[in-house]
Amino acid sequence: MASIGDRVDVFAASLGRGAVTNLSVLATTDDSPLVSAAQAGDRVAFGRLYEQYARMVHGILMARVPLSEVDDLVQEVFLVALRRLSTLRDLARFGAWLAAIARNRAKDYHRRSVTTVEVTDDGSETETGSGVSGSAGNNEAAVILAAIRSLPDAYREPLILRLVEGMTGPEIAARTGLTPGSVRVNLHRGMQQLREKLGRWRE
Amino acid sequence: MDKDYLWDRSGEADPEIEKLENVLGRLRYNRAAAVFPEIPVRVRKSILARLFQVPWAPAAAVALLVIIIAAVGWLVRPKQVALGPAWNVTKIAGTPRLESKPIHANGGTAKLGLGQTLETDSQSRANIQLDEIGTVEVEPGTRLRVVRMNSELKRLALERGTIHASIWAPPGQFVVDTPSAVAVDLGCAYTLHVDDSGDGLLRTTLGWVGFKLGNREAFIPAGAACRTKPKVGPGAPYFEDASESFRTALFKLDLEGGSAKERNAELTTVLAHARQHDALTLWHLLPRVDQSQRSRIYDRLNALVPAPEGVTREGILRGESKMLDLWWNQLGLGDISSWRHWERSWSPENGVAK
């Protein structure tokens, strides 16, 4: 699959900013003005939205698709969002709307590519390209990630957003549109199951 | 809230979680955004323009247009205009129907022409303006039809229901057919009711009304009423302040038949309760009873209103109409000649119900 990233330049460079922003300071920010500006054609505003939501999209995809595909799919999700942005009515629900696009894009991925990914009995994946290679640390990350992805759906996403993307529970809730209560419960239950699973693997 | 490192990194860090963060953090997304294409700007099109973006919208719009044109055409279609002269009908309440069509347009008015039918349901009332001769208020549950409409005679057929007629035309110009009698206005206001069985009740509030079926007739002055039955015709009129016993016995005697013995008993009651102005009723009973009963009535009527000169017991017992008319004129209820005049004017030429 050709990488979108290979076909386009770096948007952030044109904005003179870094790729993504530390989400912790943005958890309670109302993004409606940015969304509104982007709907009016303001690409800088859309770039800001990308900065703030790219990790969320990345985490959602990472919970569902092979790691090697995630980065490209992140770009695709934002392209889809850009094309459909004019249809968004409730500007305050941008995060939830974007999360839904990401989840749907992950489903589409699985519908279209059934030969490159095999899911093992324990839920982990055997990937044609793992996307995590090289150092021992990366191998350890791949093992842990596989453990997380073997958990029930409801636990995967919040755990990855928390442990991989570095978002806090309140940030996850604010960005994805989920209730803080459900995010917190899923974080703790998912963490408990992850500990058990990692403990068995270490044994 | 309790310190919860997993939730919001508050409190003492959980070493295992910290380790997971450190290891997995290497996978954190830190890639710059691609150069996105121009953002499709939302053009706020009109609802119509957006509708036409839908593939089937043009066809639907055409269909809708056809429906609208048809609906408008139906609404502004030529109304059921009565040919020739017609009376104005105004809706008072509900939805009266003229020729089965609800009276909605023109502020709830319509034209009622010759041969047309006006009907009110249980919630509807209407008013008919009879040009220069008066008005008829139509109560709920009424069905009537225009039988004749010319300069000499206005005639309705009341099939059922109730009307209030206020007529200021010369006597005899406004006639209402009912299933059991014909009401002839003699310059008056009255209420006429016909129930589903065809039985009728006419109550005069002003002036006079003549009620007739064949040779059976009744003259009903203000304050009096008259019941009528199909195939029998109008009963003897009575003043509405007559006693209950009087009225009950009168109805049985006059309209319900019964054995000779029963009829004699009813007549006894009527005669016993008759007051002077109930002479109206006794006079009407004279031609309707047999000889023996007529004799008893003669005596009571003669006691209440002595027979004038030219009226003899024998003549009354024979049923001579001229003597009856002479006696009528003594009752203080007006001259009967006007009735006879108008009676000739509409019967039989104008087809009074037989």
Side-chain angles (χ1 to χ4, degrees), chain B residues 28 33 37 77 90 105 167 185 187 283 287 307 312 323 334 344:
Chain B
R28 183 171 301 168
R77 73 194 188 287
T90 305
I167 307 299
D185 161 71
W283 182 90
T312 64
M323 288 190 185
R344 284 192 296 272

Side-chain angles (χ1 to χ4, degrees), chain A residues 11 50 137 162 166 169 188 195, chain B residues 6-7 9 16 21 26 33-34:
Chain A
F11 181 61
Y50 173 87
R162 171 68 182 85
H188 281 277
R195 289 182 206 268
Chain B
L6 178 63
W7 172 243
R9 293 200 189 93
E16 190 172 16
E21 287 179 304
R26 297 168 191 161

Side-chain angles (χ1 to χ4, degrees), chain B residues 268-312:
Chain B
T268 299
T269 302
V270 168
L271 297 177
H273 289 83
R275 304 159 299 172
Q276 184 175 24
H277 65 295
D278 291 325
L280 166 75
T281 303
L282 300 186
W283 182 90
H284 278 87
L285 284 174
L286 280 171
R288 303 173 183 220
V289 297
D290 59 31
Q291 280 267 343
S292 64
Q293 292 174 327
R294 191 174 296 162
S295 175
R296 295 174 63 194
I297 295 170
Y298 175 91
D299 292 336
R300 181 59 178 154
L301 179 58
N302 193 40
L304 296 172
V305 180
E309 190 176 352
V311 176
T312 64

Side-chain angles (χ1 to χ4, degrees), chain B residues 63-128:
Chain B
L64 183 63
L65 188 63
V66 170
I67 292 171
I68 291 172
I69 290 172
V72 171
W74 186 83
L75 287 172
V76 302
R77 73 194 188 287
K79 301 295 187 294
Q80 285 291 324
V81 178
L83 298 175
W87 294 320
N88 284 322
V89 178
T90 305
K91 179 186 79 172
I92 298 175
T95 310
R97 290 176 175 270
L98 197 157
E99 289 294 281
S100 300
K101 294 181 174 60
I103 300 175
H104 284 313
N106 302 321
T109 63
K111 289 285 189 180
L112 178 64
L114 182 64
Q116 293 188 319
T117 300
L118 176 67
E119 190 165 11
T120 56
D121 60 20
S122 61
Q123 306 296 321
S124 304
R125 295 173 63 212
N127 181 273
I128 306 170

Side-chain angles (χ1 to χ4, degrees), chain B residues 235-249:
Chain B
Y238 57 93
F239 281 105
E240 291 193 276
D241 61 357
S243 69
E244 179 71 26
S245 299
F246 179 90
R247 287 182 286 149
T248 301

Side-chain angles (χ1 to χ4, degrees), chain B residues 52-275:
Chain B
F52 272 81
Q53 288 180 332
V54 181
W56 46 262
V62 171
L64 183 63
L65 188 63
V66 170
I67 292 171
I68 291 172
I69 290 172
V72 171
W74 186 83
L75 287 172
V76 302
R77 73 194 188 287
K79 301 295 187 294
Q80 285 291 324
V81 178
L83 298 175
W87 294 320
N88 284 322
V89 178
T90 305
K91 179 186 79 172
I92 298 175
T95 310
R97 290 176 175 270
L98 197 157
E99 289 294 281
S100 300
K101 294 181 174 60
I103 300 175
H104 284 313
N106 302 321
T109 63
K111 289 285 189 180
L112 178 64
L114 182 64
Q116 293 188 319
T117 300
L118 176 67
E119 190 165 11
T120 56
D121 60 20
S122 61
Q123 306 296 321
S124 304
R125 295 173 63 212
N127 181 273
I128 306 170
Q129 187 66 44
L130 304 173
D131 294 335
E132 305 298 322
I133 72 163
T135 65
V136 172
E137 196 168 305
V138 183
E139 290 288 343
T142 299
R143 179 182 169 87
L144 59 80
R145 181 168 49 88
V146 179
V147 175
R148 186 159 299 188
M149 182 189 286
N150 57 42
S151 56
E152 289 78 33
L153 184 65
K154 281 76 178 166
R155 190 164 190 161
L156 299 178
L158 177 62
E159 296 179 21
R160 66 167 185 275
T162 304
I163 61 171
H164 305 287
S166 298
I167 307 299
W168 44 86
Q173 285 200 5
F174 181 71
V175 175
V176 180
D177 291 339
T178 77
S180 54
V182 178
V184 181
D185 161 71
L186 298 174
C188 63
Y190 65 90
T191 297
L192 179 57
H193 170 76
V194 174
D195 65 21
D196 290 338
S197 68
D199 288 358
L201 174 65
L202 190 151
R203 304 171 69 185
T204 304
T205 51
L206 184 68
W208 283 85
V209 178
F211 219 11
K212 182 178 177 75
L213 178 66
N215 293 324
R216 193 174 170 112
E217 56 192 8
F219 314 123
I220 309 149
C226 180
R227 292 178 60 177
T228 179
K229 289 181 75 72
K231 299 181 180 178
V232 176
Y238 57 93
F239 281 105
E240 291 193 276
D241 61 357
S243 69
E244 179 71 26
S245 299
F246 179 90
R247 287 182 286 149
T248 301
L250 173 65
F251 301 151
K252 290 180 178 178
L253 171 68
D254 194 28
L255 297 173
E256 297 179 8
S259 66
K261 184 178 179 181
E262 290 171 339
R263 288 170 58 82
N264 280 329
E266 304 301 350
L267 180 58
T268 299
T269 302
V270 168
L271 297 177
H273 289 83
R275 304 159 299 172

